[in-house]
Amino acid sequence: MRTAERTATPASTPALLRDVGAIGVAIVAIGASFGAVAVAAGLPVLATIAMSTLLYAGGAQFMAVGLIAAGSPVAAVFAGLLLNARHLPFGLVLGDVLGRRWRDRLLGSHLMTDEATAFALAQPDPAGRRRAFWLAGIVLFFAWNLGTLAGVLLASRVGDPLRLGLDAAFPAGLLALLLPALREPETRRVALVGAAVAVLVTPVLPAGLPILLALSGLAVLLLPRRGRHRARPC
């Protein structure tokens, strides 16, 4: 007989290091892709490195580089703000994890990523959440910046890094991260509608606006679903 609930156990430090390290390797590759693509798009080397160190926003950095290269810096700002708005609920959930001192809260806010948040919330107790968050946050920060530096150096050697297909690394990485979430039918519908809207309006709108309009896919959640509120049989 299976129990209704299973008691979660905290992950050991070696297990956490193994899991975070695996994600870190992928982050290095994606960071290298960003560094190479940013330099190829005309962003100065120091600005590329400073963006990864000071902004440290992953997907928002890719989007900002693309929009700036397309001549839409204002759209880059708005799109970045929208993309990173998810950190607001992250901060509310992780408030106790970051600690009470302002120094810890500011540093933790800078290191806050989807992956570090997921590692922290997977732990059952406050001490485990703090350990997982700081471990993942620090390792992934250095992994991202190491990858960016490698991408910048690579771009300076090969000339046009896009010939190596590095521009495909980020969307491929994002797709790999999204695949588990797309198992939910409702999430899949939202993603498909948003992607369809973005593809349809891309030929007629300035760069950046199709990404913002993709958020219209969330309107799917407002549609009535047959059987959504149907009472389950006893």
Side-chain angles (χ1 to χ4, degrees):
M1 181 177 178
R2 299 175 60 182
T3 55
E5 294 184 355
R6 186 173 56 185
T7 302
T9 56
S12 64
T13 299
L16 265 177
L17 279 172
R18 180 198 59 205
D19 295 342
V20 172
I23 298 295
V25 171
I27 294 295
V28 169
I30 298 174
S33 171
F34 167 74
V37 169
V39 172
L43 204 66
V45 169
L46 288 180
T48 301
I49 295 175
M51 182 182 282
S52 282
T53 304
L54 302 177
L55 186 59
Y56 186 45
Q61 290 181 228
F62 274 96
M63 190 166 51
V65 167
L67 294 177
I68 291 173
S72 303
V74 177
V77 173
F78 278 104
L81 289 174
L82 279 175
L83 191 60
N84 286 324
R86 69 190 188 283
H87 283 200
L88 178 60
F90 287 179
L92 294 174
V93 173
L94 294 175
D96 293 337
V97 174
L98 301 184
R100 295 184 178 278
R101 292 183 293 186
W102 276 102
R103 182 199 63 186
D104 296 342
R105 287 177 177 264
L106 290 174
L107 181 59
S109 299
H110 189 58
L111 299 178
M112 189 181 296
T113 61
D114 298 2
E115 295 83 1
T117 302
F119 274 112
L121 296 183
Q123 303 305 311
D125 59 276
R129 286 194 284 273
R130 281 193 293 273
R131 181 168 52 99
F133 175 82
W134 288 108
L135 178 62
I138 293 172
V139 169
L140 298 183
F141 175 80
F142 281 103
W144 176 257
N145 282 277
L146 178 63
T148 299
L149 181 60
V152 168
L153 295 176
L154 180 64
S156 63
R157 285 184 173 273
V158 302
D160 183 9
L162 301 185
R163 290 182 304 173
L164 302 178
L166 290 177
D167 54 322
F170 180 64
L174 273 185
L175 183 61
L177 292 174
L178 284 174
L179 281 179
L182 294 180
R183 293 172 182 165
E184 295 290 333
E186 206 159 49
T187 304
R188 195 162 54 240
R189 281 192 289 270
V190 171
L192 289 175
V193 171
V197 170
V199 170
L200 287 174
V201 301
T202 292
V204 296
L205 291 180
L209 287 182
I211 296 175
L212 299 178
L213 288 178
L215 293 174
S216 61
L218 293 171
V220 172
L221 300 176
L222 302 177
L223 298 177
R225 287 278 177 272
R226 182 180 299 176
R228 174 185 285 182
H229 303 296
R230 186 180 298 167
R232 294 182 177 179
C234 298

